[in-house]
């Protein structure tokens, strides 16, 4: 099974360009998440979706939008990319059990020049 | 909101020596605690987790962690380091809502 699949794996954008990061999970999880990882900062939550049709802001939502297209897919959009958004982005989903573990995708490395 | 403190961004350990990574958390309710490992250019892999029950939790690759409520700690240990343990390790806490808060991570270097 694939688990959590993210596309693309690498992307270079120019400042002001837009793009959408795609994420899909095949584990029938309700909850899905977008994190960004920066050196020395750990992972910070951008947005999450507790269930299909709902989304909520995390710790660092500015400059991003999300769409929970269906139960499987949760996309992250950068409308006007900035160099400060250069980062590695991880999508995750969570098992519906109490204390359920999070499964992470392999990440998207985004560079904004 | 919950938070995690991991001290020492880089940890060097000799091959065969004890690995000890410290994690302290804050949470307003009984927490769920996790340790993740990240190898270079890869995603995060779950090492172990504490939800309820036994406070000493065993994970993969010989790692274990002990939940100490009185110390608000969840330190990760491995008795004998291997070269393959070189990676970044993250402690994380959840209070049962949909937010998993991560520490800043420990980069472990294993010295032959």
């Amino acid at each position: 099974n694939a688990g959590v699949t993210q596309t693309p794996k690498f992307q270079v954008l120019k400042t002001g360009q837009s793009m959408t990061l795609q994420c899909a999970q095949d584990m029938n999880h309700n909850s899905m998440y977008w994190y960004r990882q920066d050196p020395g900062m750990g992972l910070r939550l951008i947005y999450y979706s507790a269930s299909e049709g709902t989304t909520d802001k995390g710790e660092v939502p500015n400059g991003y939008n999300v769409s929970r297209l269906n139960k499987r897919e949760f996309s992250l959009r950068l409308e006007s990319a900035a160099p400060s958004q250069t980062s590695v982005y991880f999508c995750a989903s969570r098992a519906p059990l109490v204390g359920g573990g999070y499964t992470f995708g392999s990440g998207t490395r985004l560079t904004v020049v | 909101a919950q938070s995690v403190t991991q001290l020492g961004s880089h940890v060097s350990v000799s091959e065969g020596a004890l690995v000890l990574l410290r994690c302290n958390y804050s949470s307003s309710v009984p927490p769920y605690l996790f340790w993740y490992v990240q190898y270079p250019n890869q995603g995060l892999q779950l090492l172990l987790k504490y939800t309820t029950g036994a406070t000493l939790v065993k994970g993969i690759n010989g790692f274990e962690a002990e939940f100490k409520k009185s110390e608000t700690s969840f330190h990760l240990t491995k008795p004998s380091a291997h070269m393959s343990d070189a990676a970044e390790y993250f402690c994380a806490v959840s209070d049962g809502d949909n937010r998993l808060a991560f520490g800043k991570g420990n980069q472990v270097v294993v010295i032959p």
Side-chain angles (χ1 to χ4, degrees):
Chain A
N1 289 336
V4 177
T5 302
Q6 291 183 237
T7 56
K9 293 190 181 301
F10 302 93
Q11 184 70 49
V12 178
L13 289 179
K14 293 182 179 179
T15 298
Q17 286 186 317
S18 63
M19 79 161 295
T20 299
L21 282 64
Q22 306 287 352
C23 175
Q25 52 92 9
D26 61 2
M27 296 170 287
N28 203 35
H29 289 171
N30 289 325
S31 301
M32 297 184 72
Y33 309 81
W34 277 105
Y35 286 88
R36 61 176 289 173
Q37 182 181 22
D38 302 291
M41 301 293 290
L43 280 80
R44 293 179 291 170
L45 182 64
I46 305 171
Y47 271 93
Y48 67 96
S49 171
S51 61
E52 185 178 353
T54 68
T55 61
D56 285 285
K57 295 179 180 179
E59 183 182 357
V60 289
N62 291 344
Y64 305 96
N65 286 300
V66 291
S67 295
R68 184 72 182 267
L69 304 171
N70 48 56
K71 191 171 186 178
R72 290 187 64 248
E73 299 172 288
F74 187 40
S75 62
L76 178 72
R77 182 161 179 83
L78 288 70
E79 291 291 352
S80 178
S84 61
Q85 294 178 304
T86 293
S87 187
V88 181
Y89 292 84
F90 287 100
C91 178
S93 67
R94 182 171 70 92
L97 304 172
V98 172
Y102 293 67
T103 301
F104 285 82
S106 58
T108 295
R109 187 173 296 272
L110 175 68
T111 302
V112 183
V113 298
Chain B
Q2 62 270 31
S3 66
V4 170
T5 300
Q6 290 180 252
L7 296 179
S9 60
H10 286 76
V11 176
S12 293
V13 59
S14 297
E15 190 175 16
L18 172 72
V19 179
L20 170 61
L21 302 180
R22 300 179 186 274
C23 172
N24 289 89
Y25 69 90
S26 67
S27 177
S28 58
V29 298
Y32 303 120
L33 295 159
F34 305 82
W35 275 99
Y36 284 88
V37 61
Q38 184 181 33
Y39 298 102
N41 299 314
Q42 294 188 24
L44 278 73
Q45 179 182 1
L46 181 66
L47 271 179
L48 49 79
K49 66 177 181 179
Y50 169 80
T51 53
T52 58
T55 56
L56 182 61
V57 180
K58 294 186 183 299
I60 62 171
N61 302 338
F63 284 93
E64 63 182 34
E66 186 171 12
F67 169 58
K68 292 187 176 180
K69 183 179 179 180
S70 61
E71 299 178 6
T72 61
S73 69
F74 192 56
H75 302 331
L76 181 72
T77 61
K78 181 175 180 178
S80 177
H82 296 162
M83 296 301 295
S84 60
D85 294 327
E88 191 157 20
Y89 294 79
F90 294 95
C91 182
V93 62
S94 170
D95 60 7
D97 70 2
N98 276 289
R99 296 170 183 247
L100 184 65
F102 285 86
K104 294 185 177 181
N106 295 121
Q107 184 70 50
V108 172
V109 176
V110 182
I111 302 168

